[in-house]
Amino acid sequence: MDVGSWSSSPSKIKSRFSFQDRLFRRKNSQENLDRFIPNRSAMDFDYAHYMLTEGNKKGKEKENPVVTSPSREAYQKQLAEAFNMNRTRILAFKNKPRTPVELIPSSILNPPPPPPNSSKPRRYIPQSSEKTLDAPDILDDYYLNLLDWGSGDVLSIALGNTVYLWNASDSSTAELVTVDEEDGPVTSVAWAPDGRHVAIGLNNSHVQLWDSHASRLLRTLKGGHQARVGSLSWNNHILTTGGMDGRIVNNDVRVRHHIVESYRGHQQEICGLRWSPSGQQLASGGNDNVIHIWDRTMVSSNSPTHWLHRFEEHRAAVKALAWCPFQANLLASGGGGGDHCIKFWNTHTGACLNSVDTGSQVCALLWSKNERELLSSHGFTQNQLALWKYPSMLKMAELKGHTSRVLYMAQSPNGCTVASAAGDETLRFWNVFGTPQASKPAPTASTDPFAHVNRIR
């Protein structure tokens, strides 16, 4: 090779390298794209193919128009908008701008407002009693029922041989009756639905009916039992009594021969009686650890009535019975010292719905009239009242203050206050179910007989 060709090669190499450098810099620059050369990375080739092929067909259709319905044209227009087919450009000459990257997500800088709280605010439940009264000589007997709160807002309590009345409106106390030593002590009390008459069960197997307003004995029911009467329950004019002899008797207090029906099924003392709110079913619990459900439609006046259901799942005496006010055919029951359980029954099918071990003797049960809650009173070891949420049976509160087992409970007519009496000879009042809701005033009745007729003037 000659010298001339060798000398010219460095300049050619230099010029070639300088062109490559310029080309490399142009490829790396987004600002130096040629406006006449389309950018393939920014193009939609499927759409371009469609427009080049189908677009010609549309042009021909315009030359030879075919009559189409307005609904079809509207459908095609909506379809084109949905698939982004209203574009006119096919070629793209620059890239789309990049989506900005958020250093801090907007959800953190501008959090969405919290959803409105539709649930009710949690109710405050006082942990101590709002009032405490002395109850000397009250019997510490699990099988008796010595406390009741009538619809007239008067509380009756039996202390030994005496029945006292406590008026909740003015906190006044009055003695109703003191029975003789050979007849007493008083073993049960129960208010009639009218809130005026009260039934008193005695240790001598008799039952007395008293007018509380006049402090007068109306009549004495005899012959139904052969031992003390520890349980009473009203169903309109029918007073049902349960005795130590295991008998259950329906007494019609309006007639002279008051015994109208009898129930036989328990082998030991009756310690719990409750009529359902409908008055169709009666629940009875006994010292034989058995619960019976009796139905009014199966009542027979000639022979003892047979039970509808018989529950034997409790392992101790069953005194605590409570019908649910918001669900028909739902009964709650509580077992004694050897059982510790609260059980729930469907009295229509006879099925046990749930069982909860409370850890101590269950003495009494009360349903809330305003909420889905259940209150239970207990014995050893804590002698407390427990508030449960139904149906989860989560414990909402424990109310302590009694130093002996809480044998008796009664609920005020408005359903908010509960009175409890225990073997420690105290009567305590608890605001456990909240304050009464303000009732709306009833609309005043118009005396105009034509008040419903529209007038012209």
Side-chain angles (χ1 to χ4, degrees):
M1 183 177 294
D2 59 354
V3 177
S5 61
W6 174 260
S7 61
S8 63
S9 61
S11 61
K12 292 180 180 180
I13 295 174
K14 182 177 180 182
S15 62
R16 184 169 68 248
F17 277 107
S18 62
F19 174 77
Q20 291 178 352
D21 291 342
R22 290 195 301 271
L23 181 61
F24 179 76
R25 287 197 300 269
R26 176 170 294 182
K27 286 184 178 180
N28 289 342
S29 175
Q30 296 182 358
E31 304 297 333
N32 297 325
L33 297 178
D34 196 314
R35 61 177 179 171
F36 299 110
I37 301 177
N39 187 358
R40 292 176 174 267
S41 62
M43 293 173 57
D44 187 348
F45 287 97
D46 292 335
Y47 175 73
H49 180 266
Y50 169 79
M51 292 299 295
L52 291 174
T53 57
E54 299 295 329
N56 295 333
K57 295 181 180 180
K58 290 184 177 181
K60 295 179 180 180
E61 290 176 357
K62 290 181 180 178
E63 295 176 359
N64 301 319
V66 180
V67 178
T68 59
S69 63
S71 60
R72 180 177 179 83
E73 293 179 356
Y75 171 74
Q76 291 178 348
K77 182 178 180 181
Q78 291 183 358
L79 189 64
E81 292 177 355
F83 288 97
N84 197 17
M85 296 169 59
N86 293 328
R87 296 176 294 173
T88 56
R89 291 176 178 262
I90 298 177
L91 302 178
F93 296 92
K94 62 180 180 178
N95 292 328
K96 295 181 180 180
R98 293 182 179 182
T99 304
V101 179
E102 295 181 349
L103 299 179
I104 302 178
S106 59
S107 59
I108 298 178
L109 296 176
N110 300 313
N117 188 9
S118 59
S119 60
K120 295 181 180 179
R122 186 172 182 179
R123 187 179 77 252
Y124 171 70
I125 303 173
Q127 299 297 304
S128 59
S129 58
E130 61 180 4
K131 186 189 296 290
T132 303
L133 302 177
D134 291 331
D137 300 327
I138 191 170
L139 297 180
D140 188 6
D141 193 329
Y142 180 81
Y143 304 101
L144 306 184
N145 294 272
L146 306 179
L147 185 68
D148 196 21
W149 204 328
S151 59
D153 209 10
V154 178
L155 186 80
S156 62
I157 184 171
L159 305 178
N161 294 335
T162 306
V163 175
Y164 292 93
L165 304 180
W166 180 81
N167 194 321
S169 60
D170 56 7
S171 299
S172 60
T173 304
E175 177 182 330
L176 179 63
V177 59
T178 298
V179 300
D180 298 334
E181 288 290 339
E182 58 270 18
D183 298 332
V186 178
T187 53
S188 56
V189 293
W191 283 99
D194 60 5
R196 174 171 180 170
H197 300 94
V198 59
I200 300 174
L202 300 177
N203 191 59
N204 67 351
S205 76
H206 296 171
V207 178
Q208 295 182 353
L209 298 181
W210 283 79
D211 184 345
S212 63
H213 293 180
S215 298
R216 182 169 61 93
L217 176 63
L218 300 178
R219 66 180 301 184
T220 300
L221 307 179
K222 301 178 181 180
H225 300 277
Q226 299 175 357
R228 69 178 185 180
V229 181
S231 299
L232 302 170
S233 183
W234 285 90
N235 186 7
N236 294 325
H237 56 273
I238 299 295
L239 173 62
T240 304
T241 59
M244 184 181 259
D245 55 6
R247 294 187 63 191
I248 301 173
V249 178
N250 281 353
N251 302 272
D252 190 339
V253 299
R254 303 170 301 174
V255 299
R256 181 176 181 181
H257 301 287
H258 52 85
I259 300 177
V260 290
E261 293 104 15
S262 63
Y263 306 92
R264 281 299 184 94
H266 291 280
Q267 302 300 319
Q268 297 186 38
E269 181 171 13
I270 309 298
C271 48
L273 279 178
R274 285 293 183 273
W275 278 102
S276 65
S278 64
Q280 294 300 313
Q281 291 185 336
L282 172 69
S284 63
N287 193 31
D288 53 3
N289 311 344
V290 174
I291 301 173
H292 282 121
I293 305 298
W294 315 87
D295 197 287
R296 286 296 303 272
T297 60
M298 302 172 63
V299 168
S300 174
S301 58
N302 298 325
S303 61
T305 302
H306 197 269
W307 61 79
L308 176 64
H309 297 295
R310 178 183 173 94
F311 305 138
E312 301 179 356
E313 282 77 356
H314 281 291
R315 295 172 295 175
V318 183
K319 174 190 176 183
L321 297 170
W323 291 92
C324 180
F326 54 81
Q327 184 173 339
N329 302 318
L330 177 60
L331 175 71
S333 63
D339 184 74
H340 300 170
C341 290
I342 298 176
K343 297 182 183 295
F344 298 91
W345 311 90
N346 184 330
T347 60
H348 179 70
T349 62
C352 182
L353 305 177
N354 193 11
S355 180
V356 179
D357 191 342
T358 65
S360 59
Q361 181 186 46
V362 183
C363 302
L365 292 172
L366 287 175
W367 287 96
S368 170
K369 297 180 180 180
N370 305 316
E371 303 289 343
R372 294 178 178 264
E373 298 170 358
L374 180 68
L375 182 69
S376 58
S377 67
H378 299 271
F380 185 79
T381 60
Q382 299 185 18
N383 307 313
Q384 82 280 19
L385 280 71
L387 183 63
W388 310 83
K389 188 68 176 178
Y390 184 82
S392 64
M393 289 306 288
L394 295 176
K395 188 180 293 185
M396 301 175 60
E398 278 194 347
L399 311 178
K400 299 180 180 179
H402 286 289
T403 57
S404 181
R405 55 182 181 174
V406 188
L407 295 173
Y408 318 108
M409 283 200 307
Q411 192 173 15
S412 62
N414 62 13
C416 299
T417 305
V418 171
S420 63
D424 58 6
E425 298 187 341
T426 61
L427 175 65
R428 296 176 181 268
F429 296 85
W430 312 83
N431 185 15
V432 62
F433 290 134
T435 57
Q437 299 179 354
S439 59
K440 296 181 179 180
T444 57
S446 176
T447 57
D448 187 355
F450 301 101
H452 66 282
V453 179
N454 295 330
R455 302 177 186 275
I456 297 177
R457 60 178 179 271

